[in-house]
């Protein structure tokens, strides 16, 4: 087989609710995650020497063994039992790094999808999601992507119907700022730990409320979108780039809703369609430039890591 190329989309969190602390030290979450059409591309080809090699067009990204792409490749090869399998992997990076957009997780998920096909292992999406859960909390979602409820650490997935309208996202990020996810959750615990829920019954009540929320059945431009991100209240006061991004996005009269994504610092506004999103970007362009913020207009995407035809 020749080269296989897989698209690896970013995600935004339409809902990120911190429910409590788990016995494994992670947080128990209730989330709505949504893939967006801002994508990295991962190409894989067999090598005869049994090596796993990674190259990347973004010099700022570490391509050492701790990169999620190589960790995913190693895990998949170990579990296959065929230690002689090798691959040369090339990553084209478009998703900003350390942005709260699951770029690294999506690249890792794409590696699982690509190498599963290259090596003819025949794993289903749900088998790949189990492997992904061993590597990162956001990674299982990135396999099938689309619109999903994510519970537990993020690995308990319940697919949602596809959005009813061609919604679009205006994403902004200061390219010089990134936020550490462990720091954001640690700070959340410091500030809010006393009010965390602690029983499984209470967790399940919150999950049920999110499952039954009208705005996710399906996500549409006609139903108010009550975006929520509990990490925003933790990260925003300490991160000027988030304050600036939210201020500018909140000034847009045509947006449906505004929030930070994941642990930040990316922030986004939702629009009914791509043309209204692009119009808003044009209106905001000079202020974004003055604040040092980079911006992207993207459609929502109904799938995760997928082999390009
Ligand atoms: O799973 P992942 O490696 O992406 O998590 C990074 C860090 O974020 C964890 O080490 C933990 O500090 C925090 N985290 C958490 N609860 C989650 C997911 C992540 O506390 N559900």
């Amino acid at each position: 087989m020749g080269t296989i190329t897989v698209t690896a989309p970013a995600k935004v969190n339409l809902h990120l609710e911190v429910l409590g602390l788990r016995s494994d030290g992670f947080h128990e979450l209730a989330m709505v995650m949504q893939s967006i059409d801002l994508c990295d591309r991962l190409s894989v080809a067999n090598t005869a020497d049994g090596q796993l090699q990674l190259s990347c067009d973004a010099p700022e990204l570490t391509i050492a063994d701790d990169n999620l792409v190589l960790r995913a490749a190693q895990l998949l090869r170990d579990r296959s039992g065929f230690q002689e399998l090798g691959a040369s992997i090339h990553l084209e990076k478009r998703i900003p790094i350390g942005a709260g957009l699951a770029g690294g997780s999506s690249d890792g998920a794409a590696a699982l999808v690509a190498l599963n096909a290259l090596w003819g292992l025949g794993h289903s999406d749900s088998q790949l999601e189990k492997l992904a859960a061993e590597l990162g909390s956001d990674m299982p979602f990135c396999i099938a992507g689309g619109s999903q409820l994510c519970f537990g650490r993020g690995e308990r997935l319940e697919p949602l119907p596809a959005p009813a309208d061609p919604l679009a996202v205006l994403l902004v990020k200061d390219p010089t700022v990134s936020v550490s996810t462990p720091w954001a959750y640690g700070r959340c615990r410091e500030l809010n730990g006393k009010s965390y829920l602690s029983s499984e019954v209470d967790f399940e009540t919150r999950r049920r409320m999110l499952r039954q929320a009208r705005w996710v059945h399906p996500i549409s431009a006609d139903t108010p979108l009550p975006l929520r991100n509990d990490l925003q209240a933790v990260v925003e006061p300490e991160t000027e780039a988030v304050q600036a991004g939210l201020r500018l996005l909140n000034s847009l009269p045509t947006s449906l809703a505004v929030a930070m994504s994941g642990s930040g610092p990316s922030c986004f506004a939702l629009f009914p369609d791509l043309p209204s999103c692009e119009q808003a970007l044009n209106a905001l362009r000079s202020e974004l430039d003055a604040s040092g913020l980079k911006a992207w207009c993207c459609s929502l995407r109904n799938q995760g890591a997928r082999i390009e035809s």
Side-chain angles (χ1 to χ4, degrees):
M1 194 178 285
T3 299
I4 292 180
T5 300
V6 170
T7 309
K11 62 84 184 153
V12 290
N13 296 84
L14 302 181
H15 186 97
L16 191 167
E17 189 178 347
V18 175
L19 301 181
L21 206 58
R22 299 155 52 96
S23 53
D24 60 9
F26 280 75
H27 283 83
E28 184 71 27
L29 304 176
M31 302 190 283
V32 177
M33 301 238 254
Q34 173 65 55
S35 301
I36 57 172
D37 221 352
L38 172 64
C39 303
D40 292 343
R41 288 176 88 217
L42 192 90
S43 300
V44 298
N46 273 312
T47 52
D49 60 2
Q51 299 289 307
L52 294 170
Q53 298 150 357
L54 175 62
S55 59
C56 177
D57 65 357
E60 66 275 25
L61 192 76
T62 154
I63 50 171
D65 283 355
D66 61 346
N67 185 294
L68 271 177
V69 169
L70 283 175
R71 289 179 59 209
Q74 267 147 12
L75 182 68
L76 191 66
R77 181 172 70 177
D78 287 351
R79 296 298 161 81
S80 78
F82 302 114
Q83 282 305 324
E84 68 280 12
L85 291 172
S88 94
I89 308 171
H90 182 69
L91 176 60
E92 288 172 51
K93 200 74 201 145
R94 298 293 170 270
I95 306 172
I97 298 163
L101 300 171
S105 298
S106 193
D107 297 341
L112 292 176
V113 168
L115 295 172
N116 182 44
L118 185 76
W119 294 337
L121 300 175
H123 293 304
S124 64
D125 272 7
S126 81
Q127 287 171 312
L128 294 180
E129 283 162 1
K130 287 202 179 72
L131 289 177
E134 296 184 35
L135 297 168
S137 305
D138 282 349
M139 220 164 122
F141 165 80
C142 296
I143 299 280
S147 315
Q148 299 198 53
L149 296 166
C150 310
F151 299 124
R153 281 165 52 211
E155 84 292 3
R156 284 176 55 184
L157 305 175
E158 298 181 18
L160 286 166
D165 298 303
L167 297 178
V169 164
L170 173 57
L171 197 64
V172 302
K173 179 184 182 281
D174 184 329
T176 65
V177 176
S178 62
V179 172
S180 149
T181 304
W183 171 82
Y185 279 104
R187 188 87 182 110
C188 183
R189 188 178 171 182
E190 266 168 46
L191 294 174
N192 306 327
K194 284 206 176 73
S195 55
Y196 280 178
L197 302 176
S198 54
S199 78
E200 174 52 29
V201 174
D202 290 339
F203 293 164
E204 188 53 28
T205 302
R206 298 301 310 171
R207 290 183 201 119
R208 200 177 324 118
M209 286 173 77
L210 192 56
R211 281 187 197 108
Q212 292 171 354
R214 210 166 85 78
W215 68 273
V216 294
H217 292 287
I219 295 159
S220 107
D222 299 329
T223 315
L225 296 166
L227 301 186
R228 168 173 176 174
N229 181 345
D230 290 351
L231 295 179
Q232 186 177 317
V234 172
V235 174
E236 183 183 355
E238 315 241 358
T239 318
E240 250 177 66
V242 171
Q243 296 162 18
L246 292 173
R247 184 176 49 78
L248 290 179
L249 293 174
N250 277 313
S251 73
L252 293 166
T254 53
S255 90
L256 301 170
V258 171
M260 189 181 82
S261 182
S263 55
S266 305
C267 299
F268 65 97
L270 279 165
F271 289 87
D273 49 40
L274 203 51
S276 60
C277 184
E278 283 163 351
Q279 252 172 23
L281 172 57
N282 287 336
L284 215 54
R285 178 72 75 185
S286 58
E287 284 180 86
L288 287 166
D289 288 347
S291 304
L293 295 170
K294 235 185 129 181
W296 298 259
C297 284
C298 342
S299 307
L300 305 190
R301 205 180 130 97
N302 290 338
Q303 53 186 9
R306 280 295 166 269
I307 296 175
E308 292 180 8
S309 49

